[in-house]
Amino acid sequence: MAIEVRIPTILRSYTGGAKVVEGAGDTLNELLADLDGKYAGLRGRLITDEGALHRFVNIYVNDEDVRFLGSLDAKLSDGDTVTILPAVAGGALGFAAAAALLQR
Amino acid sequence: MTVPTGKCRAVRGKLGVVLSIDRSIMDAIIAHARRDHPDEACGVVAGAAGSDTPTRHIPMDNAARSMTFYEFDSMEQLRVWREMDDRDEEPVVIYHSHTATEAYPSRTDISFAGEPGAHYLLVSTRDPDTEEIRSFRIVDGVVTEEPVYVIDASVDPHAVQSYMFGQSPATVDYECSLGR
């Protein structure tokens, strides 16, 4: 069963520069395990030590964010496309919090 | 403020050295930041892959609608990133505003920075009358500031004005303006 996986620039060092790779699995969890067998370390960039989806990435199955599909339990079928994108987020919050700490 | 000589243009496109951006796009980014103030504004400027030239301004929703945090809506991001892919573009600039603090990447910004090829442009709107604009590369947690050259195409396509607000002179790469 082949699932097309689109890899963002920042993670292509794990795939030998490949933008699109193929993997297999009935769920996202299985797919990531399969990919980690071929591209060691990739899974660790997507999953936290606690086993949850990392806050710094967005993963989509076809047109849907997996957070709305059961996260790592999201079901996959042959021919699905999984897209990984770096979440784009940030802001002054950390700075303000750090500044507050420094002023104590 | 330095107005570099024509020789400066030679460094355009050299990764991590300078951000060259058209005035109309810079004005649109500043207008977006002012409009959303006091919430943080965010967006992308796409450009042809490998060109390092930002040409298509895409204001994004701040899904967090916060004064201290911004976050692209994940579905909007998927749509925009696919569109860039289809057009052979990449995110040349990723911008956001800080509305009460300086235009410098926060720890949060650095933790999230996931586009090593992008110029991270920050606009501070803390002063209603002054634009504070700074640009950075953020790769593997390392922040490198770079000068911003605003190109005034409507006046003179060769006219280049540089903005280096708040930069310490020690960190500015002036290699192009030393007459070499």
Side-chain angles (χ1 to χ4, degrees):
Chain A
M1 190 174 91
I3 293 157
E4 180 185 287
V5 184
R6 304 187 73 85
I7 307 289
T9 311
I10 196 164
L11 297 179
R12 286 180 201 157
S13 53
Y14 294 94
T15 59
K19 192 173 171 179
V20 180
V21 299
E22 282 199 347
D26 290 329
T27 63
L28 179 60
N29 212 3
E30 288 180 23
L31 173 71
L32 296 183
D34 176 61
L35 290 178
D36 207 54
K38 302 179 224 174
Y39 312 108
L42 181 63
R43 186 176 181 280
R45 294 295 298 273
L46 307 172
I47 307 292
T48 64
D49 293 343
E50 292 75 37
L53 199 56
H54 216 297
R55 180 87 174 76
F56 300 130
V57 290
N58 293 331
I59 302 183
Y60 308 85
V61 176
N62 302 322
D63 295 327
E64 197 64 71
D65 188 327
V66 297
R67 291 187 176 92
F68 304 122
L69 297 174
S71 215
L72 290 168
D73 297 326
K75 295 274 181 288
L76 299 176
S77 312
D78 199 6
D80 279 347
T81 298
V82 169
T83 305
I84 303 170
L85 292 181
V88 182
L93 183 63
F95 177 82
L101 281 175
L102 288 170
Q103 279 163 15
R104 277 195 311 189
Chain B
M1 184 180 298
T2 307
V3 180
T5 64
K7 284 179 181 172
C8 254
R9 299 173 66 77
V11 302
R12 282 179 64 194
K14 212 164 117 186
L15 195 76
V17 172
V18 57
L19 167 63
S20 296
I21 187 167
D22 195 84
R23 172 168 306 281
S24 61
I25 295 173
M26 184 60 95
D27 286 350
I29 290 172
I30 293 166
H32 181 203
R34 292 284 182 208
R35 195 164 63 238
D36 284 10
H37 183 93
D39 283 349
E40 292 194 3
C42 54
V44 175
V45 190
S51 71
D52 201 32
T53 304
T55 53
R56 193 165 64 93
H57 176 215
I58 310 161
M60 303 283 286
D61 278 340
N62 177 359
R65 294 194 192 291
S66 159
M67 295 190 284
T68 53
F69 191 67
Y70 82 96
E71 183 173 28
F72 285 7
D73 173 79
S74 69
M75 296 313 295
E76 185 183 28
Q77 188 189 348
L78 178 65
R79 185 175 58 70
V80 168
W81 256 243
R82 273 198 185 149
E83 194 177 73
M84 285 193 283
D85 225 27
D86 291 345
R87 298 166 61 121
D88 249 338
E89 292 174 335
E90 59 192 4
V92 178
V93 173
I94 294 176
Y95 72 88
H96 75 282
S97 62
H98 285 176
T99 59
T101 54
E102 65 175 335
Y104 191 86
S106 65
R107 277 190 217 168
T108 317
D109 294 333
I110 298 163
S111 314
F112 271 95
E115 292 286 357
H119 301 265
Y120 282 88
L121 186 75
L122 277 89
V123 178
S124 174
T125 55
R126 60 181 166 176
D127 184 320
D129 301 318
T130 311
E131 266 77 52
E132 197 183 321
I133 303 151
R134 297 170 74 179
S135 182
F136 305 86
R137 293 287 183 165
I138 308 176
V139 180
D140 293 333
V142 178
V143 178
T144 310
E145 183 158 17
E146 59 186 2
V148 179
Y149 292 157
V150 177
I151 301 165
D152 216 333
S154 60
V155 179
D156 172 358
H158 301 296
V160 178
Q161 199 173 22
S162 72
Y163 287 82
M164 285 167 282
F165 289 107
Q167 272 188 324
S168 147
T171 66
V172 180
D173 185 349
Y174 280 111
E175 65 173 0
C176 55
S177 56
L178 295 176
R180 269 187 253 153

